Amino acid sequence: MAVLDDLSGFEFEDLIEDVFRNLGYENARQAKKTADEGRDVIMEEVVDGTRRAIIVECKHTSTVGRPVVQKLHSAIATFDFDGPKRGMVVTTGRFTNPAQEYADRLQQNDDPYPIELIDGEALREIADEIGLDLYNGRIEILCDETLRPYDPAADVDAPVQAAFRDIENIEPADLPAPHSQVTFRPVIAITADTNAVFETSVGVIHRINDRTQFVVHAERGHPKMADDDVATLVTENFHATVELDTERFIEVFDDVDERRFGQTQTEYKEWAVDRLQDYHTTTVTYTGGNNVTYNKTCEPNLSDISVQSIEPVYLPEVRQTTEILEYSYPYEYYAAGPSRVTLEDGIHRCVHCETSGVDETYTYCPNCGAIACNSHIKTERLEDEPVCTGCAVTERFSLKTKYFYNKENLEAFREEYAEMGLHEKAMENKLLAGGGVVVTLLVVVGLLVTSGVI
């Protein structure tokens, strides 16, 4: 425990707050630093349906005597809480015999304000339980839970099959199985309260009373805020996590990768507090008693920001790639059972232009495997099936461009066209032929000229 001696008193209290929060105590927060009222960390627990307040005195010293325990007992009695209360004294060192005897007597006498003593040895055991690195006084992240990478009630390929249902001229049942890979990416969900009051000689000029919840991508590098839809996906599915069993998921996916948390829980907490401090800092304009207008920057103190929970979990990023003839169609999304947030949709995207989005119409070309928008899909003349402009063979007949799967189909139509009557040939350009007798005659004349009759 000697390395913890390098921590300041404030850092030690901050650490103890994190420890108890990880042990499951609720509303763990540090007392205001304006005065030493004999309590450093305040938190709550629910026992048999009854909520109880716990006042924790943190002593970063080698020895704690009876006066510290007595002072805490008085602080508990005066603490404003509507319900039962108890206390704790936590130290990196040890307790004197009189201190231990005083705490024992409170327990034996069923005192309404009992006090629990946690010495350095007990703190070591707690540290092991929650993954506390005693070398640097930081709490490591221990997590083996993940959101579900697929819907257990459906096939793992169900999202891809659902996406292909919007594509015309292809049946999802006819698709080849996509190559599926999943990357389990670490994220943390943070809940924090900010409570601050700013006063001047004229009274309160600004007040902050805010609860903030956000999700952070927690791989190596600087933490990054998750988008709103990703944050919603995570927070709404925390109740449905499963164990991250790599061997099990290898049986479902072709490739499985697990990323690690880049920093300690303590570091993410510090990042969150700094971010919230910046977020809530604002400049307030007010009028003083002398009728002069002033501007004051209101920046909450670190002690005004209390992190209520830091919940780690893995977020599955699934990438499924379907290979069809000449093209590959990636479909990538964050998964949480049947829910997902799409990251890349290579299915609803024309291979020939920038057109994309589920609101467009796309058609499959069986000749080359392309998925194309209406601007790049034509009707094959010989077989009357869709063909894309990227692979079609073209030639003009009756002053109109015709599209064919290949040269063989083109040659077959040439022979068919050569045997057509002039009226039939004219009908190959229905737009012109439908314009009336004069237009039809003009088309016929054009055909005669083209064929060398006149």
Side-chain angles (χ1 to χ4, degrees), residues 96-356:
T96 64
N97 289 335
Q100 188 65 59
E101 291 170 358
Y102 184 84
D104 291 343
R105 189 159 56 250
L106 293 177
Q107 295 280 356
Q108 295 165 1
N109 295 337
D110 291 328
D111 190 277
Y113 312 124
I115 294 176
E116 178 183 359
L117 305 183
I118 300 177
D119 61 14
E121 184 177 349
L123 189 56
R124 287 187 183 90
E125 296 176 359
I126 293 174
D128 290 339
E129 181 179 342
I130 65 170
L132 170 62
D133 180 1
L134 291 180
Y135 183 78
N136 61 22
R138 295 179 180 272
I139 295 177
E140 302 297 331
I141 292 179
L142 302 180
C143 179
D144 59 0
E145 294 293 309
T146 178
L147 303 182
R148 292 182 182 273
Y150 62 96
D151 183 358
D155 187 82
V156 69
D157 300 338
V160 170
Q161 294 175 351
F164 269 101
R165 289 193 186 98
D166 296 333
I167 307 303
E168 297 184 358
N169 199 45
I170 190 170
E171 294 296 329
D174 298 333
L175 293 170
H179 179 276
S180 298
Q181 63 185 71
V182 59
T183 301
F184 293 97
R185 298 194 176 279
V187 298
I188 54 175
I190 300 175
T191 301
D193 291 335
T194 305
N195 294 282
V197 177
F198 301 89
E199 298 182 78
T200 68
S201 59
V202 298
V204 175
I205 62 169
H206 185 56
R207 190 188 303 270
I208 303 172
N209 184 13
D210 177 74
R211 168 157 288 195
T212 307
Q213 295 176 305
F214 50 93
V215 173
V216 180
H217 293 285
E219 293 184 47
R220 285 186 176 182
H222 195 68
K224 180 183 177 183
M225 287 283 295
D227 294 338
D228 289 344
D229 52 355
V230 176
T232 299
L233 181 74
V234 172
T235 55
E236 290 187 351
N237 290 278
F238 251 115
H239 64 285
T241 59
V242 295
E243 181 182 357
L244 177 50
D245 184 347
T246 303
E247 295 300 322
R248 169 191 168 193
F249 292 129
I250 285 177
E251 298 176 359
V252 179
F253 294 92
D254 298 306
D255 295 308
V256 176
D257 185 25
E258 176 186 347
R259 302 296 171 86
R260 298 295 180 184
F261 286 86
Q263 300 182 41
T264 66
Q265 185 185 110
T266 306
E267 288 169 315
Y268 288 120
K269 174 191 173 183
E270 293 170 349
W271 174 84
V273 170
D274 287 342
R275 180 184 178 279
L276 288 172
Q277 186 180 43
D278 290 340
Y279 175 77
H280 286 294
T281 297
T282 186
T283 299
V284 174
T285 301
Y286 69 96
T287 302
N290 56 0
N291 209 30
V292 175
T293 299
Y294 297 93
N295 291 324
K296 180 178 175 60
T297 299
C298 298
E299 180 184 52
N301 298 317
L302 295 180
S303 58
D304 294 328
I305 303 170
S306 175
V307 175
Q308 296 298 309
S309 64
I310 296 180
E311 300 178 273
V313 71
Y314 284 95
L315 174 62
E317 181 182 313
V318 180
R319 185 176 181 86
Q320 296 179 290
T321 305
T322 306
E323 304 284 348
I324 309 179
L325 297 178
E326 300 175 18
Y327 294 93
S328 296
Y329 297 101
Y331 191 63
E332 188 171 358
Y333 53 90
Y334 287 129
S339 303
R340 58 185 178 271
V341 172
T342 303
L343 300 175
E344 179 184 5
D345 183 355
I347 297 172
H348 296 88
R349 181 168 62 204
C350 178
V351 300
H352 302 300
C353 67
E354 298 300 321
T355 301
S356 62

Side-chain angles (χ1 to χ4, degrees), residues 34-78:
T34 54
D36 184 4
E37 299 177 346
R39 51 180 182 264
D40 299 314
V41 174
I42 303 167
M43 57 192 185
E44 299 170 14
E45 64 181 351
V46 178
V47 179
D48 296 331
T50 301
R51 182 169 293 275
R52 177 166 55 184
I54 306 173
I55 295 88
V56 184
E57 175 76 9
C58 303
K59 283 299 178 184
H60 194 26
T61 58
S62 59
T63 304
V64 177
R66 172 173 171 161
V68 171
V69 184
Q70 287 179 305
K71 183 179 179 182
L72 176 60
H73 186 263
S74 299
I76 299 171
T78 60

